[in-house]
Amino acid sequence: MDDVLSDAEGAAGVKVVRSDEHYGGLPGLDLTFELYRDITRLPDEIEGLPIRTELALDRGLSACYNSGDFDPVPGGVVIEPVEGDHFGTACCRVFDGGDRRLLTAAHLWDACGESPKGEPLYQNERRIGEVDSFHPGYDVAVVDPDTQVHLADTIKLEDARRLPMSGYVTEWGVLLFLSEGRSVFNMGVSSGLTQGRLSAAYIEEGWRHCVDFDGHGVEAEYRNVEGDSGGPVFYRHDGSAYLVATQQMWLNRLGTDCGEENIMGEQGRGAAAHYLHENLGLTFSS
């Protein structure tokens, strides 16, 4: 499959989506290939599998929510990779080899251009830590908090409510959510708390971009705006949050939100939390 698509002009990526066909009472899953507008024709099937196509999404990168100082620092609040320059959203506290860390998006530091390891992270001009490890292909950065900084095991919503982070959605759970069209949530400091159904999984698009998700990207249909990058995409169950992915900015239309100049997208993507657990050893609950 890679041999066919990597050299095909206009081929952007591949993902698994919900099918119109039903099996055992549930919708099945199909392969869909994302294409740019100026494309060459792809075959009707690859390795015996019929394919569907759709236009690829265009990439995009003032905090309106959770823009204060927080101690301890929860997920869903503002962070600044460069002091006073631009901002993103903290995903959540994670454990890396037993050490408490803060997870967010690697592209906040332009990780595809050069290594951000050791680069500082701020919150309203207060230094809260530095990048301990980063993975540009998954678009995640793991931040080591400074000694005096504490991390909360919660995600802060738009108001005073906080949800405890109790784990992650498994690979089987992602497929079940996709088949059932189940809704997930995203908390970003520009868009606030938004909701939409899971729309694709197993996304691979490394032929044109640094971020390829290694075939384990997930996509959901929720509003997102510049500044939401790095925030948690999660499922709510019994008053707790279970991480699905970290938000990466994606756009398929232009609009505005959280101020007149921000660009708004209708879908978001990120590397699946279960894949971050399996490949990076990150855990999401104490």
Side-chain angles (χ1 to χ4, degrees):
M1 190 176 296
D2 282 350
D3 293 340
V4 174
L5 292 173
S6 59
D7 294 327
E9 181 183 358
V14 63
K15 60 187 180 182
V16 175
V17 301
R18 200 163 119 178
S19 171
D20 295 330
E21 301 293 332
H22 285 67
Y23 304 91
L26 290 175
L29 303 173
D30 279 345
L31 281 175
T32 293
F33 294 91
E34 298 183 329
L35 309 173
Y36 297 117
R37 285 180 171 81
D38 53 339
I39 63 169
T40 55
R41 179 173 172 78
L42 291 178
D44 294 328
E45 61 179 41
I46 296 177
E47 298 177 4
L49 296 175
I51 67 171
R52 296 165 53 180
T53 61
E54 64 181 44
L55 289 178
L57 304 179
D58 294 324
R59 284 178 177 257
L61 251 184
S62 70
C64 291
Y65 304 93
N66 296 345
S67 58
D69 293 314
F70 297 91
D71 185 16
V73 179
V77 301
V78 70
I79 52 173
E80 300 160 337
V82 180
E83 187 176 5
D85 184 17
H86 63 284
F87 60 88
T89 303
C91 172
C92 49
R93 184 195 72 178
V94 299
F95 289 89
D96 186 4
D99 297 320
R100 296 186 180 206
R101 297 289 187 262
L102 184 67
L103 187 67
T104 189
H107 77 251
L108 296 177
W109 287 269
D110 189 24
C112 290
E114 58 185 42
S115 168
K117 184 174 175 61
E119 289 294 314
L121 180 67
Y122 300 90
Q123 184 176 80
N124 293 314
E125 301 182 355
R126 173 179 68 113
R127 178 185 157 115
I128 60 174
E130 65 179 38
V131 178
D132 181 55
S133 63
F134 68 99
H135 309 273
Y138 307 151
D139 195 23
V140 295
V142 180
V143 175
D144 182 7
D146 287 347
T147 303
Q148 74 279 11
V149 174
H150 301 91
L151 303 179
D153 62 348
T154 57
I155 296 172
K156 186 180 181 304
L157 306 184
E158 297 173 348
D159 49 26
R161 292 174 300 159
R162 301 189 183 214
L163 295 177
M165 176 65 73
S166 297
Y168 64 94
V169 176
T170 65
E171 183 174 10
W172 169 245
V174 168
L175 291 176
L176 182 63
F177 289 8
L178 177 60
S179 177
E180 294 180 346
R182 199 173 298 188
S183 288
V184 296
F185 294 85
N186 176 54
M187 182 62 216
V189 297
S190 291
S191 295
L193 184 67
T194 58
Q195 178 180 359
R197 71 180 184 90
L198 203 67
S199 54
Y202 294 116
I203 298 170
E204 165 71 63
E205 46 123 6
W207 306 300
R208 298 291 185 271
H209 302 298
C210 160
V211 179
D212 62 7
F213 303 123
D214 199 23
H216 285 274
V218 294
E219 174 186 286
E221 298 172 346
Y222 52 78
R223 186 180 72 251
N224 59 95
V225 182
E226 182 181 8
D228 292 339
S229 295
V233 180
F234 59 95
Y235 178 67
R236 296 174 68 168
H237 178 68
D238 287 345
S240 293
Y242 295 84
L243 193 68
V244 176
T246 55
Q247 158 68 8
Q248 183 196 54
M249 188 68 180
W250 282 81
L251 308 172
N252 67 352
R253 71 178 175 88
L254 299 180
T256 58
D257 193 25
C258 182
E260 296 181 356
E261 301 300 326
N262 281 359
I263 301 174
M264 180 170 62
E266 291 182 315
Q267 292 172 291
R269 286 182 175 175
H274 69 79
Y275 198 61
L276 300 181
H277 170 70
E278 294 158 6
N279 285 269
L280 303 183
L282 301 180
T283 56
F284 304 97
S285 62
S286 56

